[in-house]
Amino acid sequence: MSIGIERLAVYTPQYGLALADLAAARGVAPAKYTQGLGVQEMAVAPPWEDVVTMAATAGARVLRAAGVDPASIGMLLVATETAVDHAKPVSIFVHDLLGVGPHCRTYELKHACYAGTAALMTAADWVRAGGARPRRALVIATDIARYELGSSGEPTQGAGAVAMLVGREPQALILGDESGTYAGNVHDFWRPLGRREAIVDGQHSVDCYLIALAGAFQMYRALERPPFEPDEAFQDRVARMLYHTPFPKMAMKAHRRFAELDWRASHARWAQVEPRLEEAAAQSYVELAAPALTAVSRIGNTYTASLYVCLASLLEAESRMLTGRRVGLFSYGSGSCAEFFSGVVPTSAPRVSDTGIATQLRERTLVDVPTYERLARTGDAGGEPAAGFAGEFVFHGVRNDRREYGRVEPVAARASA
Ligand code: COA
């Protein structure tokens, strides 16, 4: 029985900031951000949006595109590390805004950037456990990456949500049966209660990420069937590699580590590759990893959603070429837990490949640094949307300690009104 992602939809806010502009304002060489980190632009969330509204907009779009009745969703999982309450889950707000029925298991998941994958795997297991029963889950990863203005993390912010329908008719990605995992308690990134911006030990986080990648991949590689030929590498079996991407250079570092580990594990292959390792690794990166980084280089870090922004971007750009081919995926969440898994792009993928990313990036407005700083300082205030708002749900604000949300007409309906 095939289980996997039936369809995806992405939502990212209507505003973006060019990293070259941010660099100029911070007195940093633009190439440090655009080449050193690989970020070209980052999404900026206005005060009338939060993780709930972004998740609900992505969810509404995926349900509408797939023609799925919200009442038929039996499991709604929302992954975020930008929770809006210590007790009340983001998922129940989303449940309400989407009109999902009462007979639904719904909750919020947190484990830094890994929670989106935890939700996807939980949903897939739930569908699998249902046997022939017609189970379909809605998994949404939604986050706003915020660091302090002027901090070293500032150029690695971003915002967005990815909604995925998970079920037994996977038209976007058939999930493989195996995965490799790796967990360990580290302090590389965290957000103490009461703080709006995260604390990150960035260089340590890079090291933790690479250690977790090695651990998860080595476990996964040992489970791979059929066994490898003496000169065969895992890379030969995949068409693309997708990584959790807090900034695109991280994916490059990750792929460099992965490629070497993979080749070293095949003795005959390592003997061929070792004399020209850097050249071979660079070539492997260009072929396998770089194609999935187009959208993240313009949206920035979306924490739990980042890996799935890469998947959506890849499917929009290359689904026709990738049909029948396998992709490898690596998810990392600080703190830490990581998972390495794979999936096959089915022949139906081109029919569901419009996830909305290219359209939203084309239509969004780039703001200047003073506007970005004003939006960042206004924070979680709520409000009424400005002209050009592309979302379908609005965060009005907090009254009597309760968050209030509302719906606006979808853009297409507004345009034709
Ligand atoms: N031109 C080109 N590249 C330049 C440059 C220039 N003028 N100046 C610096 N660089 C390069 C550096 O060599 C480095 O690349 P390398 O890592 O390949 O060597 C890169 O730009 C970044 O420079 P660095 O000095 O390491 O940046 P930083 O210490 O200011 O911060 C991070 C970088 C990533 C550590 C920081 O942005 C951060 O912590 N971000 C948060 C990441 C995160 O969210 N992690 C947790 C989840 S996984």
Side-chain angles (χ1 to χ4, degrees):
M1 177 171 50
S2 293
I3 289 174
I5 302 171
E6 299 188 333
R7 193 162 192 136
L8 301 91
V10 176
Y11 177 72
T12 187
Q14 78 203 75
Y15 299 130
L17 175 69
L19 267 289
D21 292 348
L22 181 65
R26 299 291 178 255
V28 170
K32 175 174 175 181
Y33 293 170
T34 57
Q35 293 167 28
L37 298 174
V39 195
Q40 308 308 317
E41 296 165 4
M42 65 187 191
V44 177
W48 53 89
E49 291 204 85
D50 67 4
V51 288
V52 171
T53 63
M54 294 195 306
T57 297
R61 289 181 181 172
V62 81
L63 289 166
R64 208 162 44 234
V68 168
D69 178 359
S72 70
I73 296 297
M75 175 178 262
L76 168 63
L77 302 182
V78 181
T80 187
E81 55 188 275
T82 327
V84 297
D85 192 283
H86 292 313
K88 194 174 170 76
V90 167
S91 52
I92 201 65
F93 290 111
V94 176
H95 177 275
D96 181 33
L97 294 172
L98 294 182
V100 175
H103 302 296
C104 177
R105 184 180 294 169
T106 183
Y107 53 95
E108 175 188 312
L109 293 87
K110 178 181 75 181
H111 187 132
C113 303
Y114 171 67
T117 300
L120 174 63
M121 294 303 168
T122 302
D125 286 345
W126 173 75
V127 172
R128 209 172 277 124
R133 276 177 280 177
R135 287 185 168 182
R136 180 173 278 134
L138 176 57
V139 168
I140 310 177
T142 178
D143 265 309
I144 301 174
R146 281 198 192 101
Y147 298 99
E148 283 182 4
L149 296 184
S151 69
S152 67
E154 186 182 33
T156 62
Q157 298 177 104
V162 181
M164 299 176 268
L165 284 168
V166 178
R168 291 194 290 120
E169 295 167 25
Q171 298 194 65
L173 190 74
I174 302 167
L175 288 172
D177 291 335
E178 304 292 353
S179 63
T181 45
Y182 187 88
N185 184 11
V186 290
H187 259 92
D188 60 335
F189 167 103
W190 65 105
R191 187 164 66 90
L193 296 177
R195 274 187 67 117
R196 189 166 159 264
E197 289 88 12
I199 300 174
V200 62
D201 183 344
Q203 305 297 349
H204 181 48
S205 190
V206 170
D207 294 340
C208 294
Y209 180 122
L210 296 176
I211 289 167
L213 168 63
F217 174 57
Q218 279 163 340
M219 175 179 166
Y220 184 86
R221 205 178 186 286
L223 296 167
E224 176 77 354
R225 295 291 176 272
F228 292 99
E229 299 296 326
D231 65 346
E232 192 187 17
F234 178 75
Q235 286 158 83
D236 306 334
R237 298 183 175 188
V238 289
R240 297 286 180 263
M241 280 298 306
L242 286 78
Y243 296 94
H244 164 56
T245 307
F247 49 96
K249 176 62 91 53
M250 186 66 241
M252 183 188 267
K253 290 175 192 280
H255 192 75
R256 171 68 182 76
R257 178 66 58 94
F258 154 81
E260 181 171 343
L261 283 169
D262 185 32
W263 285 323
R264 276 182 186 273
S266 305
H267 296 296
R269 187 63 168 274
W270 180 241
Q272 295 164 13
V273 168
E274 192 182 9
R276 48 175 205 92
L277 176 60
E278 293 312 322
E279 186 196 334
Q283 193 182 330
S284 176
Y285 168 77
V286 168
E287 189 184 325
L288 297 184
L293 300 175
T294 311
V296 281
S297 75
R298 297 189 56 201
I299 292 176
N301 194 0
T302 53
Y303 291 158
T304 54
S306 159
L307 177 62
Y308 303 99
V309 169
C310 292
L311 176 62
S313 173
L314 190 71
L315 290 177
E316 278 203 1
E318 298 192 332
S319 61
R320 217 163 278 285
M321 195 172 79
L322 293 175
T323 57
R325 304 189 67 191
R326 188 174 174 204
V327 297
L329 299 96
F330 175 69
S331 177
Y332 173 75
S334 293
S336 66
C337 188
E339 189 151 346
F340 194 104
F341 58 107
S342 75
V344 172
V345 179
T347 50
S348 51
R351 289 203 293 277
V352 299
S353 64
D354 181 3
T355 67
I357 302 188
T359 308
Q360 290 170 77
L361 289 177
R362 199 171 49 243
E363 292 177 355
R364 80 174 174 188
T365 305
L366 290 182
V367 296
D368 57 18
V369 173
T371 306
Y372 146 71
E373 289 182 347
R374 181 172 50 74
L375 291 170
R377 288 202 175 96
T378 309
D380 195 32
E384 293 311 308
F389 179 54
E392 299 181 22
F393 298 93
V394 177
F395 169 47
H396 292 305
V398 179
R399 194 180 307 162
N400 299 327
D401 275 331
R402 294 171 186 214
R403 298 179 79 86
E404 295 187 348
Y405 295 95
R407 176 188 279 272
V408 295
E409 285 292 306
V411 175
R414 272 182 265 157
S416 61

